[in-house]
Amino acid sequence: MSENYDNNEIDKEKKRPTFLIVLCVLSYIYIGFSFAGTLLNFTSGPATDAELTEVKVELTKLVSQSESQGLGGMAGYIEQSIEMTSEVNENFYTAAFLNLIIVVVGFFAVMKMWRGAKLGFHSYIVYCLLSTGGIYFYISAANIPTPLIIWNLIISGVFILLYGLNLKWMK
């Protein structure tokens, strides 16, 4: 009985699309770096007032440079980033814990797709939505730069589409 199971597992493994393997490996690498970054954040803790002030000063210099060069849109983006940085620091542990949950959902999703389960694809969609919209749980919408959300939605959409091309292999 176990021999038959092993043979079926080997056959399924041979049929796994190469493109799916590439996508899963890329996702595993990204999720691994995200997990490491989240753990590093937990160990380092929130920024001190001095560190936060230093970041704000540097970003404010960038705002001045952008305005002097006639890049008002970029200056607005940087000003939002300053406010976002402050809010992230205020809600540090909420953000870190939520990011950890999101990374775990992403790992689960990719692992399921690697094994050929459609549940992984649907979980990956949830992961993408959480990774893009999760920031709204701890930062006010006015302080989140729109280009950041648009960029995340584009990247997520591309990966969802690419994983969707492998749905016929998944059961």
Side-chain angles (χ1 to χ4, degrees):
M1 178 79 173
S2 66
E3 273 185 78
N4 190 17
Y5 177 77
D6 291 339
N7 288 338
N8 287 340
E9 193 68 33
I10 292 170
D11 288 343
K12 191 171 193 174
E13 190 110 358
K14 287 181 184 177
K15 294 179 186 177
R16 180 178 295 127
T18 305
F19 188 53
L20 180 63
I21 293 170
V22 170
L23 286 173
C24 286
V25 167
L26 289 173
S27 294
Y28 280 135
I29 290 169
Y30 177 77
I31 289 170
F33 279 119
S34 296
F35 182 72
T38 301
L39 288 181
L40 186 62
N41 274 345
F42 266 124
T43 59
S44 67
T48 64
D49 288 338
E51 292 170 335
L52 200 55
T53 302
E54 186 179 323
V55 168
K56 286 181 180 181
V57 167
E58 290 302 316
L59 289 174
T60 304
K61 287 179 186 176
L62 282 175
V63 169
S64 299
Q65 289 173 354
S66 297
E67 287 174 344
S68 68
Q69 294 174 358
L71 302 171
M74 180 62 95
Y77 176 80
I78 296 169
E79 286 172 345
Q80 279 183 311
S81 297
I82 293 169
E83 293 302 317
M84 187 175 78
T85 302
S86 294
E87 274 193 75
V88 168
N89 199 54
E90 289 170 11
N91 301 306
F92 178 81
Y93 290 106
T94 302
F97 184 69
L98 185 61
N99 286 335
L100 185 62
I101 291 171
I102 291 170
V103 167
V104 169
V105 169
F107 180 78
F108 170 80
V110 176
M111 181 185 68
K112 284 294 193 183
M113 285 190 286
W114 179 266
R115 293 181 178 174
K118 282 187 181 179
L119 174 64
F121 177 73
H122 300 302
S123 299
Y124 190 78
I125 293 172
V126 170
Y127 161 71
C128 288
L129 291 173
L130 284 174
S131 65
T132 300
I135 196 168
Y136 288 101
F137 287 114
Y138 54 90
I139 296 178
S140 63
N143 294 332
I144 301 172
T146 304
L148 175 71
I149 300 301
I150 292 171
W151 177 251
N152 285 342
L153 286 173
I154 290 170
I155 296 300
S156 294
V158 167
F159 269 83
I160 290 169
L161 176 69
L162 294 175
Y163 275 119
L165 295 174
N166 293 288
L167 272 174
K168 61 184 173 272
W169 178 78
M170 297 179 207
K171 296 194 188 262

